[in-house]
Amino acid sequence: EIVMTQSPATLSVSPGESATLSCRASQSINSNLAWYQQKPGQAPRLLIYGASSRATGFPARFSGSGSGTEFTLTISSLQSEDLAVYYCQQYHNWLPYTFGQGTKLEIK
Amino acid sequence: QVQLQQWGAGLLKPSETLSLTCAVYGGSFSGYYWSWIRQPPGKGLEWIGEMNHSGSTNLNPSLKSRVTISLDMSKNQFSLKLSSVTAADTAVYYCARGGRSMDVWGRGTTVTVSS
């Protein structure tokens, strides 16, 4: 099983600043990585797929990068509505697909 | 705009079978994998398994012995059964479109296992 490790567990950022979230895979997953945004009380929502492709409905201030074992989600010009838990997920190996434990993004 | 509507029993006793159904509205059922994911209270996401219209199924090895995923193409629905539930199966269960990355999600069904 591929283990996904996210850091930090909690990130507190002021509005207008940038947030950088990290995700590390226990083995290479090429670019087979997705990011999800889960707001309080809601289902997760696909944010990034293929490590860097933005899903429908998300603005350009959300960007993903990385390949292999190291991945980054960057949110620029942070807004209050970005308050959420962000999960990474690998789909390189479906035995099983695995998620990181999440990074909680707080707005100062 | 594809939407997923899910339903099922929310309170189970230990050893019972969890049964959930997800209906697909506004889009094609064929050509996609259809997935189940769960989230224990206050915790992260766990992939349960997926199935496509051809009947190809992939299941999380940790749950494989207790999980059945099925599709009803005539109704555009897919279902999850999880047998012999325990308190550890208490979670919000989500249905979603897509194997690999999942781009459309249901709202979730809270399932509590308690005697």
Side-chain angles (χ1 to χ4, degrees):
Chain A
E1 172 174 323
I2 298 175
V3 177
M4 306 300 294
T5 303
Q6 292 185 240
S7 60
T10 304
L11 183 62
S12 185
V13 181
S14 299
E17 295 186 341
S18 292
T20 300
L21 288 67
S22 297
C23 176
R24 175 177 293 177
S26 61
Q27 64 187 74
S28 177
I29 59 170
N30 297 334
S31 295
N32 296 310
L33 183 99
W35 289 94
Y36 297 87
Q37 178 193 65
Q38 186 176 32
K39 294 184 175 182
Q42 296 185 15
R45 185 182 171 195
L46 179 65
L47 169 57
I48 298 285
Y49 61 95
S52 60
S53 297
R54 204 166 45 251
T56 303
F58 284 94
R61 57 192 188 83
F62 290 88
S63 63
S65 62
S67 66
T69 61
E70 300 286 342
F71 301 88
T72 300
L73 173 68
T74 302
I75 309 171
S76 59
S77 302
L78 204 70
Q79 300 181 5
S80 58
E81 66 202 46
D82 299 332
L83 167 72
V85 179
Y86 293 83
Y87 293 96
C88 62
Q89 175 230 337
Q90 68 80 20
Y91 49 87
H92 183 71
N93 183 343
W94 60 262
L95 281 174
Y97 299 138
T98 48
F99 294 86
Q101 77 278 21
T103 291
K104 183 178 182 180
L105 181 59
E106 297 178 341
I107 313 299
K108 286 183 180 177
Chain B
Q1 184 80 357
V2 177
Q3 293 186 359
L4 305 183
Q5 182 176 347
Q6 58 181 107
W7 65 88
L11 181 60
L12 296 172
K13 290 181 167 49
S15 80
E16 293 184 334
T17 295
L18 177 157
S19 182
L20 300 175
T21 300
C22 185
V24 180
Y25 297 103
S28 173
F29 199 61
S30 299
Y32 293 96
Y33 272 89
W34 301 93
S35 299
W36 291 96
I37 304 97
R38 70 181 182 179
Q39 185 171 35
K43 296 187 178 180
L45 300 163
E46 179 181 30
W47 177 77
I48 298 170
E50 63 184 7
M51 188 174 193
N52 71 0
H53 67 283
S54 301
S56 177
T57 305
N58 299 314
L59 300 175
N60 190 322
S62 70
L63 299 168
K64 185 175 183 178
S65 63
R66 298 193 291 132
V67 168
T68 302
I69 296 176
S70 59
L71 271 63
D72 187 336
M73 300 276 295
S74 67
K75 296 182 179 179
N76 273 22
Q77 294 177 359
F78 61 107
S79 298
L80 169 70
K81 290 189 185 300
L82 178 66
S83 64
S84 304
V85 297
T86 69
D89 296 311
T90 293
V92 177
Y93 286 76
Y94 295 100
C95 59
R97 184 178 75 172
R100 299 167 63 81
S101 61
M102 288 152 277
D103 65 344
V104 182
W105 292 62
R107 291 191 172 187
T109 300
T110 298
V111 176
T112 302
V113 180
S114 174
S115 56

